[in-house]
Amino acid sequence: MPYCPRLSLVNRILSWFGRGAGVNERSLSSDETEVGFELLCKDGVKRVQYELQQIIRNGSSTYSSLMTPTQDPYLDWYITYLDTKLQSIGPTLKSTFYDSNSTTAEVEITTTVKFYQILSCVARELTSNEILPTMNELQESVSQQYFRYSHDNKAVIQILFIAIGLLTMLYEPELDPAGNTVRVLRPQYVSGLPIATETITRYAYSLKDISDLQTHQLLNSFGRLIPGSLAWAQNIPTPVEADIFLEQVVVSYLNFHTLSKVAKIQIVFVDSLSLHLELDEKAKMLKVFRFPSYCRLLCSEYSRGSSKDFPPIATYLSRLYDDYFSGQEYSHDQQTTIMPHAEDLARETPLSYRLLFNQTPKSRKAFKTYYMKYVRAAGLTNLDPLLTDLSNSDCSQSLYRYISASESGQQYYAKREFPLLGQRLLTLQNFVLSQNPSDWDGLRHDRRDILRYYTFWAVVWGASISIPLSLIQCILSLIQTYYTIR
C-alpha cells in the first residue's frame, strides 16, 4: 500500500499523547483512515485545549482519558479568542509550527496543536520552576519538547512573547513583528488614532535585549504592566479619621452615569488588562478592559475565598506576580501587610465593573447604549458576552456571587476591596470631584452630592412654580389697574 500522509499524521498525533504510533496502514481502508484522521484531529485539539484549561484552573496539566473537559462558557470564549489570534499570527512565525515537508492536511492540525502545546508549556514553566525562567531558558525548554526539527530560535522567542501576552493579557503582542524584535501594540481609539498611556513606556525591544530577562523583568521593561503598588496596598490603620474617608471610593462619584454626564469622560475599551482604569485626564478618557470572561476564568473555585483562610492555589500567574512585587519596598509587619496575588487582579476587575456600570439603574441603561454604539463605531471583534451582561443586574449578580464579592454598598474602602486597582479608582474619583458642570445637562444629572442635588431641584421646581404665579399676579394687577383708571 502506498504511503498515506494522513495516516502518518494520525500516528504522529497518537505519539504526542503517549499512545504510541501503532496504527498499521495495511489494516485500514482509505475511508477508515479518513474518518480516523478527522476524529483524531478533533480529539488532539480538544486534548491540548483541555490541558491548558487544567493549568489555568488549578495549575495541573495531568490528563486522563477518563477526564472530560468542563463545559464552561468562559473557557469557550477564551479558546475562541485564542483561535482568532492564531489565525492572525504572521506566516513567517506560523511556519515555525510545522515541518517544511508537511502536507496541507498536516499544516492546519499541527499548527493548532503546537500552538496550544506551547501555551501550556509556557504556563507550566511559569508554575513549576522555583525561579522564573529567562526567555532563552524558556526557548530551550519549548524547543526540546516541540521543535525537534530545524527551526529559528529567534522566531521561537517571538512566539513565546506572543504566548506570554495571550496568557497574561497584560499586554497586546504584535502578532507579526518585523525583524528580530518583539512589539506591544499601542491602544487605539475608535478613529484608529493611538491613545496616550503612562502604563506602557516602551513598545519594542530587540530579541538580544530581552533574551536574558526573566518573565517578570520582561514585563517591567515595557512599563508597569501589573497595576498597583505593594507599599500602597498595606492595610495600615490610619490614625486620622479624615484620611480613612479620603481612601473611600464612592458609587455616586464613579458610576458611569456620573462619569459620562457630569465629568464628560469617555470610556475606551482596551485589550490589555494592565491598562484597566487608567485615566487620561487631558483627553478625559478612561480605559476599561473589555474581556471580563478572562477574569472570571481565572477566578476558579480553587482560588476563591479569603487569602488568609484559603490561600490561592499556585496558578501560572501566581509566581509571576509574586516575583514582580518582590522587588518593591513594603512593611514586613505580617499583621498589617496585604500581599497581592494574581487572583486579586482577576477579582478586582469584575468588582470595578460593578462599581462603574451596575449599581444604579441609570448607569446600567447608559452603559448598554454606549457600549453598543462603541462596538459599531470601532468595529470591534472578539466581543465578550459577559461585558454586555454587566448591564443586566440579574445576569451580573451570579458573577459577583461566584467571586465571593462583598455586599454592594454606596462606598468601599479602597485598600481592602481594591488593593491593586484602588489607586486608579481614587485618581479617577479625585478628577470627577474636581469637575464642575458648565451646562444644563451636567447640572441636572449631577448626583455626586445628593443633598445639593435635591436642593438644586427644589430651587428649580420652586422657581418654575413661583415665577409663573408672579407673572400671573402682575398681569392681574395690570388688568385691575386698567379697569380702575377707566
Side-chain angles (χ1 to χ4, degrees):
M1 180 176 290
Y3 170 74
C4 177
R6 287 201 167 188
L7 187 55
S8 175
L9 180 58
V10 166
N11 283 327
R12 190 181 305 176
I13 293 174
L14 289 173
S15 68
W16 282 342
F17 300 102
R19 292 186 179 182
V23 181
N24 189 340
E25 293 182 14
R26 298 183 182 278
S27 65
L28 294 177
S29 66
S30 60
D31 291 339
E32 290 172 328
T33 302
E34 183 76 22
V35 173
F37 172 79
E38 298 295 338
L39 291 177
L40 280 172
C41 284
K42 293 179 180 179
D43 184 54
V45 172
K46 287 181 179 179
R47 282 170 178 263
V48 290
Q49 291 175 345
Y50 180 56
E51 180 182 14
L52 181 61
Q53 173 190 348
Q54 289 293 94
I55 296 174
I56 291 175
R57 286 294 194 183
N58 57 16
S60 170
S61 60
T62 303
Y63 184 86
S64 169
S65 59
L66 298 177
M67 295 180 182
T68 55
T70 305
Q71 296 299 318
D72 188 335
Y74 310 104
L75 178 66
D76 292 342
W77 170 85
Y78 187 52
I79 294 300
T80 302
Y81 171 82
L82 292 177
D83 287 340
T84 303
K85 292 299 182 181
L86 173 59
Q87 299 303 318
S88 301
I89 292 178
T92 302
L93 290 185
K94 197 177 291 185
S95 64
T96 310
F97 291 114
Y98 52 84
D99 193 343
S100 58
N101 297 323
S102 300
T103 64
T104 303
E106 290 179 311
V107 167
E108 182 177 357
I109 179 61
T110 304
T111 299
T112 304
V113 171
K114 284 287 180 67
F115 176 67
Y116 281 99
Q117 285 179 324
I118 291 172
L119 289 173
S120 297
C121 181
V122 171
R124 282 196 305 270
E125 291 292 327
L126 296 180
T127 305
S128 58
N129 295 329
E130 293 184 2
I131 300 177
L132 287 175
T134 65
M135 294 300 289
N136 271 340
E137 292 170 343
L138 200 55
Q139 178 266 322
E140 291 176 2
S141 176
V142 170
S143 296
Q144 290 174 2
Q145 296 182 61
Y146 303 114
F147 296 108
R148 297 187 179 93
Y149 45 81
S150 177
H151 62 275
D152 183 357
N153 288 341
K154 295 179 180 178
V156 175
I157 293 181
Q158 290 175 320
I159 292 172
L160 293 176
F161 181 77
I162 292 173
I164 293 171
L166 297 179
L167 285 170
T168 64
M169 289 283 199
L170 292 173
Y171 60 87
E172 187 179 4
E174 169 62 62
L175 300 178
D176 190 14
N180 298 324
T181 62
V182 291
R183 296 178 179 274
V184 172
L185 293 178
R186 294 177 180 269
Q188 294 183 340
Y189 188 50
V190 176
S191 61
L193 296 175
I195 301 172
T197 174
E198 296 180 354
T199 299
I200 303 175
T201 57
R202 186 161 176 172
Y203 292 91
Y205 272 101
S206 68
L207 298 181
K208 180 179 64 175
D209 292 335
I210 69 167
S211 58
D212 293 325
L213 295 180
Q214 293 176 283
T215 315
H216 66 287
Q217 295 171 336
L218 176 69
L219 297 181
N220 270 328
S221 66
F222 283 91
R224 296 191 61 85
L225 297 189
I226 295 181
S229 167
L230 189 57
W232 181 86
Q234 294 177 30
N235 189 21
I236 300 176
T238 308
V240 183
E241 186 174 354
D243 291 339
I244 297 179
F245 174 76
L246 292 176
E247 292 175 353
Q248 300 283 341
V249 288
V250 183
V251 174
S252 61
Y253 300 157
L254 296 176
N255 68 77
F256 180 70
H257 186 259
T258 298
L259 295 181
S260 59
K261 297 295 186 180
V262 180
K264 308 298 183 182
I265 292 175
Q266 291 180 300
I267 300 293
V268 179
F269 296 99
V270 294
D271 293 7
S272 301
L273 185 55
S274 63
L275 299 177
H276 183 59
L277 296 183
E278 185 191 49
L279 175 66
D280 183 348
E281 296 187 7
K282 184 177 181 181
K284 287 192 173 183
M285 288 184 182
L286 178 67
K287 304 174 187 69
V288 171
F289 182 58
R290 69 185 185 98
F291 298 134
S293 286
Y294 173 77
C295 300
R296 168 60 175 77
L297 185 61
L298 291 182
C299 293
S300 69
E301 58 183 336
Y302 301 101
S303 62
R304 284 183 292 154
S306 167
S307 58
K308 178 180 178 181
D309 301 326
F310 303 98
I313 196 163
T315 66
Y316 67 93
L317 291 180
S318 299
R319 188 175 302 280
L320 178 63
Y321 278 53
D322 291 344
D323 285 7
Y324 179 88
F325 283 115
S326 64
Q328 299 186 20
E329 295 182 359
Y330 63 95
S331 169
H332 292 276
D333 185 350
Q334 297 299 321
Q335 295 181 348
T336 60
T337 301
I338 292 178
M339 292 295 293
H341 296 282
E343 292 76 11
D344 289 334
L345 183 57
R347 182 175 178 273
E348 288 177 41
T349 304
L351 291 179
S352 69
Y353 294 136
R354 179 176 71 173
L355 177 64
L356 296 178
F357 306 128
N358 194 259
Q359 287 206 231
T360 65
K362 289 185 176 181
S363 292
R364 289 194 293 269
K365 181 179 180 181
F367 171 71
K368 183 177 181 179
T369 303
Y370 180 87
Y371 178 66
M372 297 310 297
K373 289 182 178 179
Y374 188 97
V375 168
R376 288 193 296 267
L380 294 182
T381 57
N382 295 321
L383 299 182
D384 187 346
L386 184 56
L387 189 58
T388 58
D389 288 343
L390 294 174
S391 59
N392 186 321
S393 58
D394 294 332
C395 294
S396 57
Q397 289 308 313
S398 62
L399 167 63
Y400 303 130
R401 285 194 299 268
Y402 185 85
I403 63 176
S404 302
S406 60
E407 291 293 329
S408 60
Q410 293 305 307
Q411 58 187 26
Y412 303 93
Y413 183 44
K415 288 185 177 180
R416 182 175 59 247
E417 297 291 340
F418 302 96
L420 292 177
L421 295 176
Q423 280 184 304
R424 291 185 176 182
L425 286 171
L426 289 173
T427 298
L428 175 62
Q429 179 171 274
N430 291 335
F431 179 77
V432 171
L433 289 173
S434 69
Q435 302 301 298
N436 293 314
S438 57
D439 55 16
W440 168 251
D441 187 62
L443 284 171
R444 69 189 185 93
H445 289 108
D446 188 1
R447 299 176 67 102
R448 292 174 295 178
D449 185 336
I450 198 66
L451 179 61
R452 187 175 67 177
Y453 173 79
Y454 283 115
T455 301
F456 169 77
W457 280 107
V459 171
V460 170
W461 283 106
S464 63
I465 294 174
S466 61
I467 291 176
L469 288 178
S470 298
L471 288 175
I472 293 174
Q473 185 178 8
C474 288
I475 293 172
L476 291 176
S477 298
L478 289 173
I479 294 175
Q480 185 179 11
T481 303
Y482 173 78
Y483 281 104
T484 299
I485 295 174
R486 292 188 62 181

